Amino acid sequence: MTRSKAWGFPRWGGYGSETQPQSVRMCEHPGCSKTGEHPAPKARDSREKYWFCQDHAAEYNRSWNYFSGMSYEELREKAEEQDREARYFKQSAVWEHAESGSQWSPEQRRALRL
C-alpha cells in the first residue's frame, strides 16, 4: 500500500494530480476540432451513429430524411408496423373515460371534447 503524497500540510502537488485524464470524443465532421457530444444516425434503422458538435449536428439533421429512398410499399409497411406496435398504448388514452360519461355531466363532456 502506498501512501498518498497529499496527506499532510502543506499539500505537496496540486489537487487532483492523481486523477487520470478523461477521454473526449471529437466531432466527426472533417476539419472540426470541437467535442462531438451530439449523436446523429448513420442510416435508417441502424444503431451506428455519427458524433458531431452542436453546429454540425444541426446541419446534418436539417438535411437528413428518414423516408428518403423508400418506396410507397415500404412506407405503407412501416406505417402498419408502427400502428401494430402502438395499439398496446391505445388503451391508456388519457381521456378515454370521458366518453363513457359515468361521472361527467353533459357540460363537462362537451368541454372536454373541445
Side-chain angles (χ1 to χ4, degrees):
M1 184 157 132
T2 61
R3 178 180 265 182
S4 170
K5 294 180 181 179
W7 57 272
F9 182 81
R11 293 193 184 273
W12 304 108
Y15 287 103
S17 62
E18 296 156 352
T19 60
Q20 296 297 319
Q22 298 288 326
S23 62
V24 176
R25 181 181 282 135
M26 300 305 289
C27 178
E28 293 186 37
H29 192 272
C32 184
S33 60
K34 296 180 182 176
T35 59
E37 300 173 347
H38 304 280
K42 284 190 175 184
R44 177 179 45 241
D45 297 330
S46 172
R47 291 181 169 251
E48 294 183 49
K49 302 207 179 304
Y50 292 116
W51 290 90
F52 293 126
C53 63
Q54 186 174 4
D55 297 334
H56 291 122
E59 177 185 328
Y60 180 83
N61 287 336
R62 268 194 300 275
S63 63
W64 193 74
N65 183 0
Y66 178 85
F67 300 106
S68 68
M70 291 179 83
S71 67
Y72 180 75
E73 289 79 25
E74 290 173 320
L75 288 171
R76 204 171 73 217
E77 276 180 31
K78 193 68 158 170
E80 289 172 0
E81 176 186 334
Q82 288 177 350
D83 286 344
R84 279 193 303 273
E85 291 173 2
R87 75 169 188 232
Y88 298 110
F89 298 100
K90 185 168 175 56
Q91 292 179 339
S92 67
V94 175
W95 297 108
E96 184 178 14
H97 64 276
E99 292 298 319
S100 67
S102 61
Q103 62 183 5
W104 301 95
S105 69
E107 294 83 22
Q108 289 172 326
R109 283 189 301 229
R110 204 173 320 113
L112 289 172
R113 273 186 244 146
L114 296 177

